Amino acid sequence: MDIDLIIRGTCSLIPGREGLSERIRVRSIIGEFLEHSRIFSFLNGGQHEWYIGSADIMERNLDRRVEAVAPVEDLEARLRLAEILETMLNDDRRSWILGADGHWRRTEEIEGREGTVDTFARLKRLAMSAVDEEDDIETALAEVGGQRSMDPRA
């Protein structure tokens, strides 16, 4: 089974070690946002399982703090998470790859060319297009006197 890890910083795992971690790839994406995704995707019997969490899955976060990891069952949300992960795994502009020698190298350096996929630029574009769509929805609802929320408290 292949494993792709997208981490924020320190990683004590050394990927690419024959007989130990040769099917594990580790990358880090450094950019303008401090916060990072906590998206977990697993194949279980050929079916994708998706989870989101409030913390990294580390002992200190699970044993000494109140944190949560929850399954994502909504299809639209799963598709959005898949899009985010695909963007991050294809990032060749801001990403760094951890080698079997324990050293981090820029993806651009490894590939020997300037990067073309920038996670942060793409996610900002997606967010802005969602805002534009939201404005269109709000305008349409206002024209017919409708409510955006099904919540009776709204």
Side-chain angles (χ1 to χ4, degrees), residues 105-142:
R105 290 183 185 81
R106 287 192 64 134
T107 305
E108 289 178 317
E109 175 190 328
I110 293 168
E111 295 183 357
R113 62 175 176 77
E114 190 172 323
T116 59
V117 178
D118 180 327
T119 292
F120 299 105
R122 174 152 172 69
L123 294 179
K124 283 193 291 188
R125 279 193 308 274
L126 289 171
M128 293 307 292
S129 66
V131 167
D132 291 342
E133 289 174 19
E134 190 73 20
D135 288 345
D136 292 342
I137 291 169
E138 293 299 330
T139 300
L141 286 170

Side-chain angles (χ1 to χ4, degrees), residues 44-130:
N44 185 1
Q47 299 295 314
H48 271 282
E49 291 185 7
W50 293 93
Y51 299 86
I52 55 174
S54 62
D56 300 323
I57 298 180
M58 298 174 63
E59 179 185 356
R60 72 169 189 248
N61 294 341
L62 298 176
D63 292 345
R64 295 184 294 223
R65 298 181 186 175
V66 176
E67 304 284 1
V69 176
V72 177
E73 297 176 353
D74 179 76
L75 179 59
E76 187 175 338
R78 286 177 170 210
L79 292 172
R80 182 64 184 252
L81 294 175
E83 182 177 33
I84 292 168
L85 279 185
E86 181 179 342
T87 297
M88 295 177 82
L89 290 171
N90 287 315
D91 186 300
D92 58 1
R93 175 66 188 96
R94 296 181 183 263
S95 61
W96 294 70
I97 305 295
L98 182 58
D101 61 359
H103 290 94
W104 289 97
R105 290 183 185 81
R106 287 192 64 134
T107 305
E108 289 178 317
E109 175 190 328
I110 293 168
E111 295 183 357
R113 62 175 176 77
E114 190 172 323
T116 59
V117 178
D118 180 327
T119 292
F120 299 105
R122 174 152 172 69
L123 294 179
K124 283 193 291 188
R125 279 193 308 274
L126 289 171
M128 293 307 292
S129 66

